Amino acid sequence: MASDRERFKIRNSLICLLKAVEGKVTTVELRNESTVSGFVKHVDAYMNVTMTDVSFRNFKGKVSSFDHFFVQGVSIRFVQIPDEVDMRKALEYHANIDKIRAEEIREELKRATKLKMQRKERNFKKLHEKQIKNEMKLIKEQWKGGGKESVGDKLKNDNG
C-alpha cells in the first residue's frame, strides 16, 4: 500500500498516467536507448516499474526475454501509453481518488452497520422466542401441578 507521500506524488504529477498503464502491455524506453516491452504489473510514486513477460532490446539491438523485470524510474525516458488508456479519466480518477475512497469507506460502514443490526435483530428474536418457550413451559407445569394454583385460577382471583 502506498504511503501518504507516495499518494500525494501520484495525485499531483503525471505519474498517474503511468499508474493507468498498470495491468496493460506497453513499451518503456530507457535513457540508454534500450526498450522494455511487457505487462506492467506495478508502478510506484517514484516511477519504478515492475513488469512481467518482458522483451528487452538493448541499445545494440540484441533482444532478451525475462519473466520479471524491474525498471528504475530515473532510467526511464518515455513510456508509451496504450490507446485503450483514457488519459483524461486517469487524471480525473487520481485527482479524486480520496473522494472515491471516502465514499467506498462510507458504503462499507453502511454495510457493516446493516449486518450488525440484522445480527442484533436475530439475537433479539431468538431471545424473545426462548422467553416465550420458557413461559409456555411454566404454564404447562402449573396446569399439570396438582396442589398448585393454576394460571386460570390465578387470573380469576386477580380479576374478582
Side-chain angles (χ1 to χ4, degrees):
M1 192 69 181
S3 68
D4 289 338
R5 175 178 280 176
E6 288 175 323
R7 283 193 297 272
F8 179 82
K9 286 181 91 169
I10 291 168
R11 200 174 42 241
N12 294 295
S13 68
L14 291 177
I15 295 173
C16 62
L17 289 176
L18 194 53
K19 286 290 277 182
V21 176
E22 280 183 336
K24 308 227 181 323
V25 175
T26 192
T27 300
V28 177
E29 298 176 25
L30 306 179
R31 293 173 76 183
N32 67 358
E33 303 296 325
S34 299
T35 61
V36 182
S37 298
F39 181 81
V40 178
K41 191 170 183 179
H42 180 70
V43 176
D44 69 11
Y46 304 99
M47 279 182 42
N48 297 323
V49 180
T50 304
M51 300 175 79
T52 57
D53 300 324
V54 171
S55 174
F56 176 80
R57 187 184 57 78
N58 69 9
F59 65 96
K60 292 181 181 179
K62 182 181 175 199
V63 178
S64 304
S65 295
F66 296 95
D67 290 333
H68 300 283
F69 202 85
F70 180 80
V71 181
Q72 284 187 322
V74 296
S75 62
I76 294 175
R77 177 180 293 155
F78 298 111
V79 176
Q80 296 177 6
I81 308 292
D83 291 336
E84 69 259 15
V85 173
D86 186 349
M87 290 187 262
R88 178 175 285 161
K89 280 186 181 178
L91 291 170
E92 288 173 0
Y93 173 79
H94 286 285
N96 298 319
I97 195 157
D98 290 336
K99 292 177 188 173
I100 293 167
R101 283 200 178 125
E103 184 60 33
E104 289 172 353
I105 290 169
R106 272 198 277 321
E107 290 299 320
E108 184 63 32
L109 285 173
K110 283 181 187 177
R111 280 193 296 275
T113 303
K114 185 177 179 180
L115 288 173
K116 187 175 180 181
M117 292 302 292
Q118 288 173 346
R119 247 181 311 199
K120 281 185 175 182
E121 192 174 304
R122 275 195 310 267
N123 290 339
F124 177 76
K125 284 181 181 179
K126 285 180 184 177
L127 180 64
H128 187 66
E129 288 172 2
K130 190 175 180 180
Q131 287 174 342
I132 290 173
K133 285 180 184 177
N134 287 340
E135 288 174 7
M136 293 300 289
K137 193 175 182 183
L138 259 171
I139 290 171
K140 285 180 183 177
E141 287 175 6
Q142 288 178 349
W143 278 93
K144 288 181 183 177
K148 298 178 183 175
E149 183 181 7
S150 69
V151 174
D153 293 339
K154 189 171 188 177
L155 287 173
K156 285 180 189 174
N157 290 338
D158 290 341
N159 291 335

